[in-house]
Amino acid sequence: MKLQRKNRLRALSLGAVAVSGALALTACGSDDTGTGSSDGSTTAANSSIKCDDAKGQLLANGSSAQKNAIDAWVKQFVTACKDVQINYKSEGSGAGVTAFTQGQVAFAGSDSALKPEEVTASKKVCTDGQGIDLPMVGGPIAVGYNVPGVEGLVLDAETLAKIFDSKITKWNDAAIKKLNPDAKLPDLKIQAFHRSDESGTTDNFTKYLIAAAPDQWKYEGGKAWQAKGGQSASGSSGVAQQVKQTSGAISYMELSYAKDGIAAAKLNTGASEPVEATVENATTAIADAKIVGTGKDLALELNRATKADGAYPITLVTYEIVCDKGNKADTLAATKAFLTYIASEDGQKILAENDYAPIPEEIIAKVRTTVAGLS
């Protein structure tokens, strides 16, 4: 049933594309991809993209977790809105927030909601306003591994905590054997990779360990990796590449990066059966989230220690961070048009095609209302 449902989601995705490489997409395209409307705006065929008065260059920076989603969205958007250029640099959530609070970008992508001190800093660039969090992309953080001959690996929070804290160092450790009694686990050294850059993916992964294995994971968490040992690489693509080419490797990455030689572990959460890292299971977890932001801020709090069937707990939500008021006049129209599109039904459908989880309707409806009111 899960596979059928996922296939239906894929079939519904309109114009979904996965774009690789660095993103610097410009407003060039064929002449027949957009159609004019009676109000003078432009819409893309078979989509809800409305360009309105959008024009110019839109700079953004942040989460590498959402890069594949942003690539697909921008491909659609600039095809319709030929007067807009969008350049999204996926330098990590920390870099994105810094760029936003320094007034270098129109919006930032972050896998973690703004901290109080970051909200304060944003007021310097948001005239009479502040930065707010708009949940736009969901998805599971897969535990990707490369262990020859081992498929369907099952891990739990305590075992993961020990692996990433260098307390379990061999793949045939007794704790892993207990979770995988039928697997032929090799006497192979574990090569644990973590992010070298400040990352919202790291923040979300360690929040899971803190919530589900508090006795084993004693670190405070955050965007910067804190545990001892292990190896590091930059960006989601960086850790994925290391896992792919290193026998015995394991790391955490978004599901869209766990492919081409990288398997994703199932999690023993205490549910009736181990939970897979799937788009559906991530959406189930996000649907249980609470909005904890105030005012127009829509920051979410996820239940990381869930034991519900079919709820994958290592799930992140990527926010687009923008000024609620005081956006720069030369980028406001393009920012609103782009955010309106990605929050739309068509924009959210593209996520499933690219191994991301759409934001549940009750939450994304509030995002749409907030975007409409940006000034």
Side-chain angles (χ1 to χ4, degrees):
M1 292 298 291
K2 289 183 178 180
L3 180 59
Q4 292 175 350
R5 184 179 172 191
K6 184 171 183 180
N7 287 336
R8 286 199 299 270
L9 283 171
R10 290 179 180 275
L12 286 170
S13 299
L14 300 178
V17 283
V19 181
S20 61
L23 176 61
L25 299 175
T26 61
C28 59
S30 62
D31 293 334
D32 59 355
T33 51
T35 58
S37 65
S38 59
D39 63 359
S41 64
T42 303
T43 59
N46 301 319
S47 83
S48 59
I49 300 175
K50 293 189 65 176
C51 305
D52 296 323
D53 297 321
K55 60 184 178 180
Q57 187 177 50
L58 202 60
L59 300 179
N61 196 343
S63 165
S64 64
Q66 70 169 1
K67 181 184 182 298
N68 293 338
I70 290 284
D71 284 358
W73 280 331
V74 171
K75 176 70 172 181
Q76 296 296 312
F77 186 81
V78 300
T79 298
C81 303
K82 300 181 184 298
D83 292 329
V84 180
Q85 298 177 356
I86 300 180
N87 190 325
Y88 180 84
K89 294 183 179 179
S90 55
E91 295 182 337
S93 297
V97 171
T98 297
F100 177 75
T101 56
Q102 292 179 352
Q104 299 172 359
V105 294
F107 70 90
S110 177
D111 309 325
S112 302
L114 290 169
K115 297 178 181 178
E117 61 269 26
E118 293 169 340
V119 172
T120 298
S122 73
K123 294 180 180 180
K124 296 179 181 179
V125 296
C126 301
T127 306
D128 297 325
Q130 66 178 52
I132 57 173
D133 301 288
L134 301 177
M136 210 68 86
V137 182
I141 298 174
V143 177
Y145 67 95
N146 178 357
V147 183
V150 177
E151 298 179 355
L153 182 71
V154 176
L155 297 171
D156 60 14
E158 290 191 358
T159 305
L160 276 172
K162 291 178 180 179
I163 287 173
F164 281 92
D165 201 21
S166 302
K167 294 177 180 176
I168 291 179
T169 59
K170 289 291 188 71
W171 278 109
N172 61 351
D173 186 273
I176 303 177
K177 282 185 176 180
K178 185 177 180 180
L179 291 165
N180 301 272
D182 298 325
K184 295 182 179 179
L185 298 167
D187 182 14
L188 178 66
K189 181 181 178 181
I190 294 175
Q191 306 278 0
F193 286 88
H194 57 264
R195 291 279 291 272
S196 60
D197 52 324
E198 286 201 357
S199 161
T201 311
T202 294
D203 190 18
N204 282 275
F205 179 66
T206 55
K207 280 179 179 175
Y208 164 70
L209 297 179
I210 291 168
D215 292 336
Q216 300 298 332
W217 196 259
K218 300 295 186 180
Y219 304 96
E220 292 181 359
K223 294 176 184 175
W225 185 257
Q226 297 170 337
K228 308 297 183 184
Q231 302 176 66
S232 65
S234 178
S236 298
S237 58
V239 293
Q241 181 63 29
Q242 291 298 325
V243 172
K244 181 179 179 179
Q245 67 188 21
T246 306
S247 180
I250 186 171
S251 189
Y252 52 92
M253 66 201 73
E254 295 69 41
L255 183 61
S256 61
Y257 290 91
K259 56 183 64 176
D260 300 331
I262 302 175
K266 301 177 183 179
L267 293 181
N268 181 341
T269 64
S272 60
E273 60 183 38
V275 184
E276 295 183 41
T278 68
V279 167
E280 288 180 314
N281 293 343
T283 298
T284 298
I286 296 170
D288 191 37
K290 298 178 181 179
I291 295 177
V292 295
T294 58
K296 295 182 179 181
D297 188 271
L298 298 175
L300 302 177
E301 181 177 271
L302 299 172
N303 180 7
R304 311 279 179 179
T306 182
K307 296 181 180 180
D309 288 346
Y312 185 80
I314 318 180
T315 292
L316 61 76
V317 171
T318 291
Y319 303 95
E320 309 313 331
I321 296 172
V322 67
C323 295
D324 58 353
K325 297 178 182 179
N327 290 279
K328 294 180 180 178
D330 59 344
T331 57
L332 176 59
T335 299
K336 288 185 70 172
F338 182 65
L339 295 181
T340 295
Y341 163 59
I342 68 178
S344 72
E345 184 177 353
D346 286 347
Q348 288 290 298
K349 282 178 181 176
I350 281 181
L351 293 176
E353 181 69 19
N354 290 277
D355 293 320
Y356 293 98
I359 301 298
E361 180 60 30
E362 181 179 348
I363 298 172
I364 201 67
K366 295 179 180 179
V367 173
R368 293 168 188 152
T369 299
T370 303
V371 170
L374 297 179
S375 63

